[in-house]
Amino acid sequence: ALAYAQQNQLEKAHERYTYLVRNFPRSALVPDALLEAGEINYQRQRFPLALTQFKEIEKFPNSKAFPYGLYK
C-alpha cells in the first residue's frame, strides 16, 4: 500500500489499506492503515469516509497512530 501511495496511485493504496483492515483486524498495522486510508479519503475530499476511518483509530489508544487520528 505504501509503495502505491508513494507512486501517487492513491486508489490502489486505499484498496490495500482497506484490505488489511478487513482481513487482518488484529494486526498491529490496522491503526496505521486506518490513518493512511483516512488521509487518502481526506485528500480526495471524501470527508465523511475519512472521518469514519479517523474515528476507528480511537479503538487503538496505545498505537502511534492514535494521537494523529484524534488530531484529524
Side-chain angles (χ1 to χ4, degrees), residues 31-49:
D32 296 310
L34 287 166
L35 181 63
E36 294 300 326
E39 287 288 347
I40 290 169
N41 282 318
Y42 187 85
Q43 289 175 11
R44 297 282 173 126
Q45 298 184 355
R46 299 175 187 157
F47 302 119
L49 185 54

Side-chain angles (χ1 to χ4, degrees), residues 23-63:
N23 293 291
F24 302 97
R26 295 184 182 191
S27 171
L29 298 175
V30 167
D32 296 310
L34 287 166
L35 181 63
E36 294 300 326
E39 287 288 347
I40 290 169
N41 282 318
Y42 187 85
Q43 289 175 11
R44 297 282 173 126
Q45 298 184 355
R46 299 175 187 157
F47 302 119
L49 185 54
L51 181 59
T52 299
Q53 290 170 319
F54 292 141
K55 285 188 173 198
E56 284 290 310
I57 298 170
E58 293 177 3
K59 296 177 182 177
F60 305 93
N62 296 323
S63 74

